[in-house]
Amino acid sequence: KKATMIQFILLQNRSGKTRLSKWYTAFEEDEKEKIKQEVHRMITTREAKYTNFVEWRKYKIVYRRYAGLYFSFCIDLNDNDLAYLENIHLLVEVLDHYFGNVCELDLVFNFHKVYMVIDELFLAGEVQETSKPVVLQRLSAIEAQE
């Protein structure tokens, strides 16, 4: 059985601006731009009646929209869709708690902190931690050192 992992994470707004991207697989810069556009076009044009999972190339995109932001994870085809939908929700809950009702501007002006949150949850494309209290406790310990 092949190991499964996250290929990349994209946080994009409705108009297609990528507010944050985290790549766990190497892609050329021009390919990354194409991917961002492709993924955005694909998920924003899907009707609400469809699932939040869509096959793309040789992967699967799991996405969820929160207000004006789309959180997309590119995962392996044989990976668990629902588990990643939960992980997206966990990421949003942690960001929400950490920033106190997170908004798009928090992602833009505090992107380094958003990467820190993502790195506490996911490491090298794999789920590292699923406990919100544990992640929040680690984040406050990091903040205390700064």
Side-chain angles (χ1 to χ4, degrees):
K1 183 178 182 274
K2 187 178 160 289
T4 58
M5 69 177 270
I6 302 166
Q7 306 301 316
F8 57 81
I9 297 172
L10 298 176
L11 277 56
Q12 300 172 304
N13 67 16
R14 274 187 286 218
S15 62
K17 273 201 172 65
T18 299
R19 292 310 192 180
L20 196 111
S21 59
K22 179 83 176 178
W23 304 87
Y24 298 105
T25 304
F27 290 99
E28 296 289 327
E29 282 308 311
D30 58 334
E31 181 64 11
K32 286 180 182 180
E33 287 310 309
K34 269 191 230 151
I35 289 170
K36 290 174 192 177
Q37 291 170 1
E38 244 179 84
V39 169
H40 182 266
R41 196 175 317 111
M42 186 171 51
I43 64 176
T44 55
T45 57
R46 273 173 72 88
E47 289 182 49
K49 66 180 178 183
Y50 295 118
T51 64
N52 290 40
F53 323 115
V54 59
E55 284 193 20
W56 172 78
R57 297 184 183 182
K58 58 182 188 203
Y59 303 108
K60 209 171 358 184
I61 304 291
V62 177
Y63 67 94
R64 198 155 177 183
R65 181 178 152 193
Y66 290 87
L69 286 171
Y70 289 90
F71 289 73
S72 308
F73 281 43
C74 177
I75 61 171
D76 294 324
L77 279 172
N78 58 344
D79 227 332
N80 183 333
D81 308 340
L82 294 173
Y84 281 99
L85 209 52
E86 281 299 311
N87 282 311
I88 291 172
H89 190 68
L90 175 64
L91 170 59
V92 171
E93 281 191 331
V94 170
L95 289 172
D96 223 29
H97 193 280
Y98 187 68
F99 287 106
N101 200 6
V102 71
C103 70
E104 190 173 339
L105 289 177
D106 291 320
L107 304 181
V108 175
F109 294 115
N110 298 295
F111 64 89
H112 56 290
K113 290 183 177 185
V114 180
Y115 280 120
M116 183 175 71
V117 170
I118 288 173
D119 290 344
E120 285 300 321
L121 293 166
F122 313 105
L123 185 66
E126 302 201 1
V127 177
Q128 192 63 29
E129 183 56 70
T130 57
S131 167
K132 183 175 151 189
V134 167
V135 172
L136 290 170
Q137 184 265 318
R138 285 184 191 155
L139 291 169
S140 52
I142 292 168
E143 289 275 302
Q145 292 175 349
E146 290 179 353

